[in-house]
Amino acid sequence: MPIDATQPYEPNNIFAKILRGEIPNKTVYEDEFALAFHDINPQAPHHILVIPKGAYVSWDDFSARAPDAEIAGFIRAVGHVAREAGLVAPGYRLLANVGQHGGQEVPHLHVHLFAGQPLGPMLAR
Ligand code: AMP
């Protein structure tokens, strides 16, 4: 069920539990601002999620409330992960689902990195 992106942060969501080390993940990269790990149900040969360490429901919440250093740190981490995975030359897709119409299921901001094959049209046709 997609979430309501205007809801308050829910501290027991699955990505909060991953950040606290309460459930395992396949970590790709971690720094002060971000954690990147493999999606449990990959939709492409490479499917990596990058999440900020701070408690933000969505891209909307993050862009409105996060301090500049957290925004810069997170965005740089996303770029770093894509470069380190060798995704820049072949190309990749970066996606953040927000709320009901975006189909966001987990109420902690995450961006998807998809790569490894031509990814087709941006939206289903
Ligand atoms: P979204 O629909 O944008 O909220 O995407 C949520 C993503 O989280 C989906 O692609 C799921 O496969 C992924 N996911 C859910 N639980 C886990 C988990 N424990 N570890 C890794 N990925 C997960």
Side-chain angles (χ1 to χ4, degrees):
M1 273 284 288
I3 63 129
D4 172 359
T6 66
Q7 71 185 45
Y9 188 78
E10 201 289 289
N12 281 323
N13 75 77
I14 194 141
F15 292 170
K17 289 180 179 175
I18 285 177
L19 282 171
R20 292 196 295 266
E22 293 168 10
I23 58 172
N25 74 93
K26 290 189 178 168
T27 299
V28 171
Y29 175 74
E30 181 168 15
D31 67 17
E32 179 185 353
F33 297 107
L35 176 69
F37 53 93
H38 291 288
D39 195 290
I40 205 166
N41 182 24
Q43 306 293 313
H46 293 274
H47 186 173
I48 299 168
L49 301 174
V50 192
I51 68 176
K53 291 221 165 150
Y56 302 100
V57 174
S58 69
W59 185 266
D60 177 71
D61 189 24
F62 185 65
S63 60
R65 289 200 304 111
D68 290 357
E70 289 184 37
I71 292 174
F74 178 67
I75 289 176
R76 290 209 185 275
V78 174
H80 177 82
V81 167
R83 279 191 297 280
E84 287 297 299
L87 307 185
V88 179
Y92 63 93
R93 182 166 293 156
L94 180 62
L95 176 75
N97 294 316
V98 181
Q100 302 263 328
H101 285 188
Q104 182 182 0
E105 301 269 354
V106 179
H108 181 112
L109 170 61
H110 49 285
V111 297
H112 298 256
L113 282 170
F114 300 104
Q117 64 185 28
L119 295 164
M122 192 166 61
L123 296 174
R125 293 190 179 142

